[in-house]
């Protein structure tokens, strides 16, 4: 029996989505892209789930698009319309956060998948790079947009033009990675981080997150109004009054997050 190319596991209110093509360093072919897209759509629609984690099987995150399939004329779907990206979920704007847990290579389209995530937890073995620069494969999963927004145009242009490899220390220094952990601990650390985020009042957290994402396409005055709109939804939900009541009763004293 052929193993599924994408594995989905739930742990309480967390969803772990794993690219399961270790023989190809978790490169994404057409079926895998569709399976990733479907998995994240299902996560976003599931009201019991709060945070997703994207990772790869057996010590690799994702080596990008499956170039063997591309060479055979069976490359991933590349079209202007619709919200299915060549690598799967990269055109989706989810209502809930996704954390990348990265061991090994997150390169080419695999790096674009990592950039699509809200946060990146990397181990000592993690390696980033626009390796597709060498083979004439373009960035069409948001890489030319998300990378400069994340780390600035100068750093982004360096990586995009040269295709060079980036190790965890440099990834942390330029803001490409958010957490750096020992080898083999990316997933467990991502689960710990996801559990912390999932414990917060969700309407407020999701509204603030969406305001950050939406402001890129808005003039400042419209972005401020949009932020207020999200904030009013939170206030009307009762989360703000409930949180203020917990604060006055002593919760969070001295900055405690317990």
């Amino acid at each position: 029996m052929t193993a599924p190319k994408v594995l989905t596991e739930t742990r309480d209110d967390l969803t772990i989505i794993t690219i399961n093509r270790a023989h190809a360093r978790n490169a994404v072919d057409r079926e895998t892209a569709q399976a990733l897209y479907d998995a994240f759509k299902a996560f976003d629609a599931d009201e019991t789930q709060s945070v997703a984690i994207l990772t790869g099987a057996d010590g690799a995150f994702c080596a990008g698009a499956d170039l063997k399939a591309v060479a055979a004329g069976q490359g991933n779907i590349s079209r202007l319309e619709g919200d299915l990206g060549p690598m799967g979920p990269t055109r989706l704007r989810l209502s809930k956060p996704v954390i990348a847990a990265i061991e090994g290579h997150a390169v080419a389209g695999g790096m674009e998948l990592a950039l699509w995530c809200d946060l990146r937890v990397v181990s000592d073995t993690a390696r980033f790079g626009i390796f597709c620069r060498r083979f004439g494969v373009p960035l069409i999963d948001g890489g030319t947009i998300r990378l400069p927004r994340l780390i600035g145009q100068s750093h982004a242009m360096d990586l995009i033009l040269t295709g060079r490899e980036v190790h965890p220390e440099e990834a942390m220094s330029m803001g490409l990675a958010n957490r750096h952990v020992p080898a083999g601990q990316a997933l467990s650390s991502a689960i710990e981080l996801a559990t912390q985020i999932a414990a917060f009042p969700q309407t407020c957290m999701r509204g603030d997150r969406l305001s950050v994402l939406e402001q890129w396409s808005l003039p400042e005055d419209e972005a401020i109004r949009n932020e207020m709109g999200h904030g009013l939804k939170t206030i009307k939900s009762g989360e703000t009054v409930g949180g203020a009541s917990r604060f006055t009763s002593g919760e969070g004293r001295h900055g405690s997050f317990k």
Side-chain angles (χ1 to χ4, degrees):
M1 183 176 178
T2 304
K5 295 182 177 183
V6 171
L7 305 174
T8 301
E9 174 190 357
T10 58
R11 300 187 188 182
D12 298 321
D13 51 0
L14 308 183
T15 297
I16 302 170
I17 297 171
T18 304
I19 306 171
N20 189 38
R21 302 190 73 224
H23 66 282
R25 289 193 178 181
N26 297 318
V28 171
D29 61 8
R30 186 175 297 190
E31 291 180 2
T32 307
Q34 183 68 59
L36 284 170
Y37 173 89
D38 292 342
F40 279 106
K41 288 278 283 189
F43 156 72
D44 207 42
D46 189 339
E47 295 182 358
T48 70
Q49 298 299 290
S50 298
V51 183
I53 296 169
L54 174 61
T55 193
D58 295 345
F61 183 74
C62 176
D66 188 334
L67 295 187
K68 290 183 178 179
V70 172
Q74 298 295 320
N76 298 359
I77 294 172
S78 301
R79 59 191 179 199
L80 293 174
E81 300 80 15
D83 61 1
L84 173 63
M87 294 290 291
T90 50
R91 294 182 185 176
L92 295 175
R93 175 173 286 176
L94 303 186
S95 64
K96 297 176 280 191
V98 180
I99 300 171
I102 301 171
E103 304 274 354
H105 285 81
V107 297
M111 184 169 172
E112 291 184 286
L113 277 175
L115 295 172
W116 172 75
C117 298
D118 295 276
L119 299 172
R120 285 149 294 281
V121 177
V122 305
S123 88
D124 287 332
T125 68
R127 300 292 184 269
F128 292 99
I130 310 298
F131 286 7
C132 52
R133 178 58 54 238
R134 296 171 289 171
F135 305 113
V137 179
L139 297 173
I140 51 176
D141 281 273
T144 64
I145 301 153
R146 294 187 177 107
L147 188 60
R149 288 181 177 183
L150 190 67
I151 65 174
Q153 182 169 313
S154 180
H155 283 310
M157 200 65 83
D158 177 5
L159 302 190
I160 289 169
L161 294 183
T162 68
R164 68 181 179 84
E165 186 173 270
V166 176
H167 289 223
E169 293 80 6
E170 185 179 10
M172 286 290 295
S173 71
M174 65 173 58
L176 181 56
N178 301 96
R179 303 285 191 279
H180 179 193
V181 298
Q185 295 185 21
L187 180 56
S188 61
S189 296
I191 291 172
E192 182 179 354
L193 178 59
T195 300
Q196 174 190 340
I197 293 171
F200 291 137
Q202 291 294 293
T203 301
C204 181
M205 184 274 293
R206 294 176 193 176
D208 286 351
R209 172 185 172 273
L210 282 176
S211 180
V212 171
L213 296 175
E214 291 165 350
Q215 59 87 22
W216 286 106
S217 62
L218 299 173
E220 183 179 23
D221 58 341
E222 291 184 27
I224 289 171
R225 287 196 295 272
N226 186 59
E227 177 189 65
M228 178 59 75
H230 284 298
L232 289 174
K233 290 178 183 177
T234 298
I235 292 169
K236 290 177 181 177
S237 75
E239 278 189 359
T240 303
V241 171
S245 297
R246 295 197 310 275
F247 176 81
T248 57
S249 68
E251 183 177 328
R253 186 168 294 167
H254 308 301
S256 173
F257 265 64
K258 293 182 179 179

